[in-house]
Amino acid sequence: MTRSTHALLIGATVSMPLFIVLWALQAFTREGFRPTFHPLSLLSLGEGGWVQILNFVVTGLLVIGGGIGLARVLAAGRLTRWAGILIALMGVGLVVAGVFVADGGAGFPVGAPAGAPVMSWHGAVHEVGFVLTQLAFVALAIVLAFRFGRSTQRGWMTASIVSVVSALLVAALGDPDTLAIRLVVSSAIELGLVSALALAAVRDRVR
């Protein structure tokens, strides 16, 4: 493994904990922000919003690097190439969500409408980034399940299936008032799969 590939994989390994820690630091300190109610994207707005913007962009770039690194170290094949591309697309979606901020709503930041926001062009592009990340993850989990199933790596095949099913169920099921925090948990699961794969690759425990 080259030094550049090792660096890319280390970056991907820290992507999930970095994203969640920076969210938590903001979610529990920003005035007026309710972690269980306000979508994490709203943290990109108002004073201090640059932290969440940076969180989206840096995490996205680390994930893109992880896709490149994993494509280099996993056994060559069409499914490996697709896995690398889909991981990179997850990262692209995060970068887009960071560069194009969401619209204020649900009373955050202070002064924003109490209800749903009026969608702006940049808010619409932000949503496209979110959807891209979600679709890429679902496709990634399916590709990985097939890939690891073919190579008889049953543990990783199971992890891929469990990750996509649990992420979707957490996001879809529950009280609407807890959707925001459930999406954070779902994001942790999605990024966690990428981080776990990258760490295993660094330790030469996946092929």
Side-chain angles (χ1 to χ4, degrees), residues 26-159:
Q26 299 173 85
F28 294 101
T29 58
R30 293 280 300 274
E31 181 182 358
F33 189 85
R34 295 162 53 194
T36 60
F37 180 71
H38 289 125
L40 65 88
S41 294
L42 294 184
L43 288 169
S44 297
L45 305 174
E47 185 177 356
W50 64 270
V51 177
Q52 183 57 32
I53 293 173
L54 197 63
N55 194 15
F56 275 126
V57 173
V58 171
T59 301
L61 292 175
L62 293 176
V63 172
I64 292 170
I68 295 170
L70 286 166
R72 289 178 181 177
V73 299
L74 295 181
R78 182 176 298 178
L79 291 178
T80 293
R81 289 194 298 274
W82 271 110
I85 291 170
L86 290 167
I87 292 172
L89 286 176
M90 288 178 62
V92 169
L94 288 168
V95 172
V96 169
V99 173
F100 300 95
V101 298
D103 298 298
F108 189 87
V110 177
V118 176
M119 185 73 74
S120 65
W121 69 269
H122 55 81
V125 178
H126 176 87
E127 293 300 322
V128 169
F130 172 76
V131 171
L132 174 60
T133 298
Q134 301 309 303
L135 292 178
F137 170 72
V138 172
L140 169 67
I142 294 171
V143 167
L144 289 176
F146 277 106
R147 187 206 176 280
F148 289 126
R150 287 184 178 181
S151 61
T152 66
Q153 298 179 77
R154 303 300 182 186
W156 283 110
M157 180 187 73
T158 301

Side-chain angles (χ1 to χ4, degrees), residues 6 71 83 162 189:
H6 185 269
V162 170
I189 294 170

